[in-house]
């Protein structure tokens, strides 16, 4: 398998056709996986926003005051308001805002970015509204027919460090289901459902970088999903998400 970044992409602007920008710089194959950083999907979809678009309500003010008291740093209540408006649930409100976005991803600050926002002076970059639909659209606009994955960089509980995760996908199942297959000793696998789109996103992040690299798109070539069942369940239902349920009852001291 090969992983490479697509070179020479410009600063992405609202309305840009990402498919055309990529195909002008890479010969894609139908069995490739194209991984696109959510940052540029958001830019193309006009998801840049200014703080003044989010006048803070009482709840946002309360959240910002609490975060300010804990961190000793100034917190803009309008930012908390933006997080609230992007979210369906605040899972943790201190010492940071951990929320579920409308499309199911759980992340700090609803994935709202304040880096690589782009020139033109916007304050914030919101995640794409429905990233799997974004991936569908990019695929439809391509001449070739690779799978498309929209990625973001995300932290995780239990471990330090961030890595790439998939937040939307098209033309590939999210997971490879090993259940019912056997290990080397003939034991049947009972629980392993491999989140391949996250693994691909992590590989892409290795070559796209996080800073001023200017490489928002990567291609994974000569990798095969193989002969396995697939599923699209990446985001846990709240009912089956016991960590999330436990966090709901937890209070930061
Ligand atoms: P995220 O992981 O989706 O939040 O995206 P990042 O902000 O980490 O950016 C991923 C990569 O894309 C980095 O190499 C950035 O320098 C690059 N990047 C971000 N925006 C643009 C853009 O508009 N044009 C180009 N060419 N690169 C960009
Ligand atoms: Mn991001
Ligand atoms: Mn990143
Ligand atoms: Mn193992």
């Amino acid at each position: 398998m090969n992983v490479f970044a697509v070179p020479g992409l410009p600063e992405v602007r609202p309305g840009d056709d990402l498919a055309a920008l990529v195909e002008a710089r890479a010969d894609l194959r139908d069995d490739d996986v194209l991984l696109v950083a959510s940052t540029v999907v958001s830019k193309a979809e006009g998801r840049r926003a200014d703080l003044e678009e989010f006048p803070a309500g009482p709840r946002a003010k309360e959240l910002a005051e609490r975060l300010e008291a804990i961190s000793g740093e100034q917190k803009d209540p309008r930012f908390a308001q933006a997080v609230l408006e992007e979210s369906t649930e605040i899972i943790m409100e201190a010492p940071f805002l951990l929320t579920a976005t409308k499309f199911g991803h759980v992340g700090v600050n609803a994935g709202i970015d304040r880096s690589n926002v782009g020139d033109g002076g916007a304050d914030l970059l919101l995640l794409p509204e429905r990233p799997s639909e974004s991936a569908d659209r990019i695929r439809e606009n391509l001449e070739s027919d690779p799978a498309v994955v929209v990625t973001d960089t995300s932290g995780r509980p239990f471990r330090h460090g961030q890595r790439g995760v998939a937040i939307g996908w098209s033309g590939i199942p999210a997971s490879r289901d090993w259940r019912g297959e056997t290990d080397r000793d003939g034991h049947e696998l009972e629980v392993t459902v491999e989140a391949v789109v996250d693994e691909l996103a992590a590989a892409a992040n290795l070559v796209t970088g996080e800073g001023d690299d200017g490489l928002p798109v990567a291609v994974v070539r000569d990798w095969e999903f193989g002969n396995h069942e697939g599923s699209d369940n990446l985001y846990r239902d709240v009912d089956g998400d016991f960590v999330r349920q436990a966090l709901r009852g937890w209070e930061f001291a």
Side-chain angles (χ1 to χ4, degrees):
M1 151 181 156
N2 272 296
V3 189
F4 58 90
V6 175
L9 286 160
E11 177 66 31
V12 173
R13 297 179 187 287
D16 276 355
D17 179 350
L18 288 173
L21 289 174
V22 170
E23 274 185 330
R25 293 165 179 83
D27 286 319
L28 299 177
R29 302 180 189 165
D30 290 351
D31 60 350
D32 286 341
V33 183
L34 184 72
L35 297 112
V36 186
S38 53
T39 294
V40 290
V41 175
S42 293
K43 285 178 181 174
E45 294 180 355
R47 296 280 285 161
R48 282 167 47 168
D50 285 312
L51 282 166
E52 49 190 52
E53 294 167 49
F54 299 98
R59 177 85 170 116
K61 286 181 185 154
E62 180 188 287
L63 290 169
E65 270 167 33
R66 183 157 180 218
L67 292 170
E68 199 164 286
I70 290 165
S71 67
E73 288 163 24
Q74 259 205 324
K75 298 287 175 187
D76 195 320
R78 296 171 303 175
F79 184 75
Q81 182 68 36
V83 173
L84 284 176
E85 290 185 23
E86 286 295 296
S87 304
T88 55
E89 185 190 350
I90 306 289
I91 299 166
M92 280 172 63
E93 53 179 71
F96 47 79
L97 294 174
L98 183 73
T99 80
T101 65
K102 292 174 187 162
F103 62 89
H105 175 61
V106 171
V108 173
N109 294 334
I112 300 175
D113 246 318
R114 303 177 90 162
S115 63
N116 282 325
V117 172
D119 50 13
D123 303 317
L124 310 174
L125 195 59
L126 313 177
L127 286 179
E129 262 182 296
R130 281 179 285 273
S132 286
E133 289 177 23
S134 307
D136 288 338
R137 276 196 298 276
I138 293 170
R139 241 178 98 221
E140 281 159 20
N141 292 336
L142 289 165
E143 303 284 330
S144 48
D145 191 28
V148 175
V149 176
V150 177
T151 70
D152 193 19
T153 305
S154 164
R156 57 263 171 96
F158 311 118
R159 303 169 80 93
H160 285 296
Q162 287 92 44
R163 50 76 178 94
V165 295
I167 60 168
W169 54 93
S170 178
I172 184 177
S175 301
R176 186 153 71 173
D177 195 340
W178 294 86
R179 289 175 300 179
E181 300 187 32
T182 45
D183 72 6
R184 284 158 57 83
D185 305 318
H187 296 300
E188 190 171 312
L189 300 173
E190 285 171 12
V191 294
T192 308
V193 179
E194 181 190 7
V196 290
V197 287
D198 280 339
E199 297 178 306
L200 291 162
N205 245 39
L206 287 173
V207 296
T208 57
E210 300 292 345
D212 63 0
D213 319 69
L215 299 171
V217 178
V219 177
V220 168
R221 178 158 293 168
D222 292 330
W223 170 77
E224 275 178 43
F225 186 87
N227 185 22
H228 303 273
E229 293 295 315
S231 88
D232 277 328
N233 293 334
L234 195 65
Y235 302 119
R236 285 186 192 276
D237 293 332
V238 179
D239 283 350
D241 191 342
F242 302 112
V243 174
R244 181 160 162 186
Q245 289 178 37
L247 281 172
R248 284 172 163 179
W250 178 81
E251 269 295 313
F252 181 74

